Amino acid sequence: MIELRDVRKSFDGVEILHGISTKFEAGKINLVIGSSGHGKSVMMKCMVGLLKPTSGNVFYDGRDFTNLEYGELRDVRKEIGMLFQGTALFDSLTVEENVEFTLKMFTKMTPAERRDRVNYCLEQVDMVGINDKFPVEISGGMQKRVGIARAIALNIKYLFCDEPNSGLDPVTSRLIDELLQRITEQFEITTIINTHDMKTVFDIGDDVIFIYKGNNEWTGPVKDIVHADNETLKKFIKASQFD
Amino acid sequence: MNFFTEFGKYLLFLKGMFSKPEKLGVYVDRTITEMNNIGIGSLAIVVIIAIFQGAVTTLQIAYQLISPLIAKPVIGSVVSDSSMLELAPTITCLVLAGKVGSHIASEIGSMKMSEQIDALEVMGINSSGYLALPKIIAGLIMIPMLVIISIFLSNVGGILAGEASGILTSEEFIQGARESFIPFNLVFSLIKAFTYAFIITTVSCFMGYTAEGGALEVGASSTKAVVYSAVAILFSDYLLAQILL
């Protein structure tokens, strides 16, 4: 489980996150929704350690991530996988080398064992036979799948996805959603997805946190979202043409 | 004030590179790859510049020193010393600041823009150490080697130009070079090469690493890397000459 306690983040004196407190349950798909520019990505970056919160704490199964020593921090980070909005695959490495990267850096696996693990991860995302391609040689949807394969190469506990469907056509978006749902269930990981795609919310979401102007405006299970007594959330859902 | 802020960030960047490597073997592999990129990748341009630099210097020295009172080997002596003390290290490194520096800054800058550096950090890898340290070590090894090659080829260029123009024979050139040779000059040249190598690689890595924005900013960081490296090389050139000669 991941817990945020009163997380605040300011840039040049302007507060973007106004004390967010919430919990993300293990084994569930937790969706962070909200309009662009309201602090979803900043919150995710604070959670994975790319930004340091101005105040407040982030706990990973009770470990205070914001105040860990470098070595302990590195250990927690090995349990984190992240799918970036632009995939962030290393463009100088092949698909196989991308997926193999963390295995090479953090495990004592032999090259043969690494290759087996890479092939297993690529199988999980239905991307068999593209090991020698470079990221630039495959489509955006395929890059997202390879990004997921790279994220799960180590036995991760937490998967973060920042706008996993951005730039994808509706069919590919649904495939990515199904893939994330399958991987979350199969590996029993805590998945946190930043999105403003309400179709994703209703298709695969378990719990939802709605961020509005840097505040935790609404939190609850997906089934309650349509009947939520929150005008801002209702407007957001209506604006996404899904009411 | 802005200069001191940036310089402080540069020092913090250098400090941040040093942490226990996740896997030493990976870093060694990366260093060897960078040695190939920086050293072998720059060899052709260094060879061309060094030969022409030596040849032109010989012709110009001969033009300025035409006098029956001055022995011809003096030309070899002046060309050899000026190549070793100034031309080979400084000109070579100014060219390398353009070639190697812009490549490093744009490579790291592009990785920053496409979130590849963030991906490294999320994985638990010290991104500045992983990306910059192998380039810096490779530069510190390969750039002095390129400077030594440049010194040698400048003399070769001088000999060829002397023979081709009939100004002086190769024996006269070598005689002059030998008579004026002081081992400290070579040490001084290598001190310069190490200093310039450090400047080129660290400034370029820093500029790439701190790039923010989009494609335009990557280009700007690449330009800044070259300009700042060149200015720092010229400034340290003066400083080293003042201190060590």
Side-chain angles (χ1 to χ4, degrees):
Chain A
M1 186 182 72
I2 303 170
E3 185 181 356
L4 274 70
R5 283 189 204 157
D6 195 28
V7 171
R8 292 173 185 274
K9 180 66 189 171
S10 302
F11 295 98
D12 299 325
V14 179
E15 194 168 83
I16 304 298
L17 294 182
H18 306 298
I20 297 214
S21 297
T22 189
K23 287 178 183 174
F24 298 101
E25 299 291 337
K28 284 186 175 179
I29 293 191
N30 302 272
L31 293 151
V32 182
I33 60 169
S35 305
S36 301
H38 283 245
K40 297 193 306 290
S41 292
V42 172
M43 188 179 92
M44 187 169 273
K45 284 183 177 178
C46 286
M47 289 170 74
V48 297
L50 288 174
L51 292 174
K52 194 167 173 59
T54 311
S55 66
N57 305 81
V58 179
F59 293 89
Y60 281 79
D61 292 316
R63 293 167 293 180
D64 185 356
F65 187 67
T66 32
N67 290 309
L68 290 176
E69 293 294 319
Y70 185 74
E72 296 169 312
L73 192 69
R74 190 184 277 181
D75 289 340
V76 176
R77 278 180 160 166
K78 285 181 207 167
E79 298 172 358
I80 298 174
M82 184 159 179
L83 176 63
F84 287 83
Q85 195 170 350
T87 71
L89 293 175
F90 303 124
D91 43 22
S92 60
L93 304 181
T94 62
V95 164
E96 178 166 319
E97 288 166 339
N98 264 285
V99 180
E100 189 189 29
F101 190 78
T102 48
L103 301 172
K104 215 172 175 179
M105 292 300 275
F106 295 120
T107 70
K108 289 178 179 169
M109 285 178 166
T110 63
E113 288 169 336
R114 287 202 302 262
R115 181 168 257 269
D116 286 347
R117 178 69 185 169
V118 168
N119 287 334
Y120 171 76
C121 292
L122 288 173
E123 265 175 40
Q124 297 307 306
V125 297
D126 305 322
M127 281 290 110
V128 179
I130 58 157
N131 298 40
D132 297 328
K133 299 254 187 217
F134 283 91
V136 74
E137 296 172 324
I138 58 178
S139 69
M142 290 164 92
Q143 286 182 20
K144 295 270 183 185
R145 285 161 179 257
V146 174
I148 295 169
R150 184 177 70 175
I152 62 168
L154 288 178
N155 289 315
I156 58 161
K157 286 185 179 176
Y158 319 99
L159 177 63
F160 291 85
C161 305
D162 191 11
E163 308 279 5
N165 298 334
S166 72
L168 299 180
D169 63 87
V171 177
T172 312
S173 293
R174 300 292 77 84
L175 289 173
I176 295 292
D177 285 347
E178 286 165 19
L179 183 59
L180 290 171
Q181 189 174 32
R182 178 154 55 85
I183 279 169
T184 303
E185 286 168 7
Q186 192 178 338
F187 297 101
E188 292 179 355
I189 52 181
T190 308
T191 300
I192 293 140
I193 302 175
N194 266 1
T195 186
H196 38 63
D197 181 351
M198 290 309 290
K199 178 113 179 74
T200 299
V201 174
F202 289 107
D203 281 354
I204 65 167
D206 291 313
D207 290 333
V208 173
I209 166 171
F210 175 54
I211 302 287
Y212 181 73
K213 290 186 177 174
N215 291 298
N216 179 359
E217 186 75 13
W218 186 87
T219 306
V222 170
K223 62 181 172 56
D224 294 347
I225 198 168
V226 180
H227 310 292
D229 186 21
N230 184 301
E231 283 307 311
T232 319
L233 179 59
K234 280 180 184 169
K235 273 184 196 166
F236 177 78
I237 296 170
K238 195 172 181 182
S240 57
Q241 295 178 326
F242 216 83
D243 54 333
Chain B
M1 199 64 189
N2 190 40
F3 169 79
F4 291 111
T5 310
E6 289 301 309
F7 189 67
K9 284 181 187 169
Y10 168 73
L11 294 180
L12 287 173
F13 168 74
L14 294 182
K15 181 176 167 270
M17 281 188 310
F18 297 100
S19 65
K20 192 183 167 202
E22 292 77 18
K23 210 166 211 177
L24 193 62
V26 175
Y27 281 70
V28 172
D29 285 350
R30 278 188 52 75
T31 305
I32 292 168
T33 306
E34 293 300 339
M35 282 168 70
N36 183 53
N37 291 344
I38 294 172
I40 308 300
S42 307
L43 193 58
I45 188 77
V46 169
V47 167
I48 292 167
I49 288 169
I51 290 175
F52 281 95
Q53 179 181 275
V56 172
T57 312
T58 302
L59 297 180
Q60 291 191 353
I61 299 291
Y63 169 72
Q64 289 177 299
L65 294 185
I66 288 176
S67 163
L69 297 174
I70 298 173
K72 284 184 177 174
V74 171
I75 297 171
S77 159
V78 175
V79 171
S80 171
D81 280 355
S82 56
S83 292
M84 201 180 298
L85 285 169
E86 184 63 21
L87 296 176
T90 308
I91 301 295
T92 302
C93 287
L94 284 172
V95 170
L96 291 178
K99 185 187 178 297
V100 176
S102 63
H103 181 262
I104 289 175
S106 56
E107 181 190 334
I108 297 180
S110 304
M111 289 184 78
K112 178 94 185 284
M113 301 308 163
S114 55
E115 296 179 307
Q116 292 176 48
I117 290 180
D118 284 350
L120 284 170
E121 288 292 335
V122 171
M123 287 171 190
I125 293 161
N126 177 1
S127 60
S128 59
Y130 178 79
L131 292 172
L133 202 54
K135 291 183 197 300
I136 294 168
I137 293 170
L140 288 172
I141 295 169
M142 297 311 288
I143 291 177
M145 284 190 188
L146 290 172
V147 167
I148 290 170
I149 291 169
S150 177
I151 293 169
F152 174 73
L153 291 177
S154 289
N155 284 294
V156 171
I159 290 168
L160 291 174
E163 288 278 9
S165 61
I167 293 168
L168 78 168
T169 64
S170 58
E171 287 79 16
E172 287 169 327
F173 189 100
I174 293 168
Q175 184 197 342
R178 276 185 173 164
E179 279 172 0
S180 67
F181 178 72
I182 302 167
F184 177 73
N185 286 354
L186 188 59
V187 174
F188 179 65
S189 185
L190 286 176
I191 290 171
K192 277 182 156 186
F194 276 112
T195 309
Y196 299 162
F198 185 77
I199 289 170
I200 293 168
T201 49
T202 55
V203 169
S204 307
C205 287
F206 175 70
M207 285 302 160
Y209 202 81
T210 52
E212 277 177 3
L216 273 178
E217 283 73 16
V218 173
S221 75
S222 180
T223 308
K224 275 185 194 171
V226 177
V227 173
Y228 292 174
S229 297
V231 171
I233 284 171
L234 294 172
F235 181 71
S236 59
D237 186 21
Y238 172 77
L239 216 61
L240 287 171
Q242 180 73 51
I243 295 167
L244 296 175
L245 293 182

